[in-house]
């Protein structure tokens, strides 16, 4: 068994070579796959409701090739697809829920114009892309087209359970 090439390699194995190869691999992965988050413009006007050293608000953040600003339109990596406008961005120094601790509050677009607008907080990694005004309008049209024209509850006279009526075809 000691005569095989694998056995000889294991017998003469040096841990130092493994450590050096691991460091090289780690540097390569960090340089190629990690996206650095650069905090560019701080939001000094926002009052912090928690201890000031634990939360920082920003007006502009750059992550990889994306530049995020408060007020810009974004599409999120969610199902169903969510689009909206960035209301605020904060860096929470006390949490480990997200790898970066950076969260974005997005006012979500709602197809129903009478519905109350809602702002939801997402980790920054959920942002898929920044949308221009025209892309945002086009995305609204696409999402609006997916909604049914109406859904009506039909009560059955003989006491059966009610079922939704399907929208008209066409």
């Amino acid at each position: 068994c000691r005569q095989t090439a694998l056995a000889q390699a294991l017998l003469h194995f040096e841990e130092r070579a493994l450590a050096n190869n691991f460091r090289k691999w780690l540097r390569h992965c960090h340089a190629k796959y990690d996206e650095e988050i650069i905090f560019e413009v701080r939001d000094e006007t926002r009052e912090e409701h928690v201890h000031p050293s634990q939360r920082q608000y920003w007006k502009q953040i750059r992550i990889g090739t994306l530049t995020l600003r408060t007020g810009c339109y974004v599409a999120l990596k969610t199902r169903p697809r969510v689009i909206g406008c960035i209301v605020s961005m904060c860096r929470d120094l006390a949490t480990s829920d997200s790898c970066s601790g950076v969260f974005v509050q997005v006012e979500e677009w709602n197809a129903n114009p009478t519905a109350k607008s809602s702002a939801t907080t997402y980790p920054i990694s959920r942002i898929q892309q920044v949308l221009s005004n025209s892309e945002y309008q086009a995305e609204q049209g696409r999402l609006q087209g997916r909604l049914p024209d109406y859904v009506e509850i039909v009560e059955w006279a003989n006491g059966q359970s009610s079922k939704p009526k399907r929208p008209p075809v066409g």
Side-chain angles (χ1 to χ4, degrees), residues 35 61 63 65-70 72-78 81-89 102-106 120-131:
E35 292 182 333
I61 296 175
I63 176 169
T65 58
L66 288 177
T67 300
L68 305 173
R69 295 177 186 88
T70 53
C72 72
Y73 299 115
V74 291
L76 301 173
K77 298 177 204 173
T78 56
R81 187 170 171 91
V82 173
I83 60 172
C85 179
I86 294 179
V87 178
S88 68
M89 296 179 284
V102 180
F103 298 93
V104 178
Q105 188 174 17
V106 177
T120 309
T121 303
Y122 296 97
I124 199 166
S125 60
R126 285 292 195 147
I127 293 180
Q128 184 175 16
Q129 71 183 90
V130 176
L131 302 172

Side-chain angles (χ1 to χ4, degrees), residues 84-142:
C85 179
I86 294 179
V87 178
S88 68
M89 296 179 284
C90 77
R91 181 179 186 191
D92 195 352
L93 303 174
T95 186
S96 63
D97 290 347
S98 171
C99 293
S100 61
V102 180
F103 298 93
V104 178
Q105 188 174 17
V106 177
E107 185 177 335
E108 298 176 0
W109 173 77
N110 193 338
N112 185 356
T114 60
K116 183 181 174 188
S117 63
S118 65
T120 309
T121 303
Y122 296 97
I124 199 166
S125 60
R126 285 292 195 147
I127 293 180
Q128 184 175 16
Q129 71 183 90
V130 176
L131 302 172
S132 67
N133 286 339
S134 60
E135 291 171 330
Y136 185 69
Q137 298 295 329
E139 193 67 31
Q140 282 180 344
R142 266 195 297 276

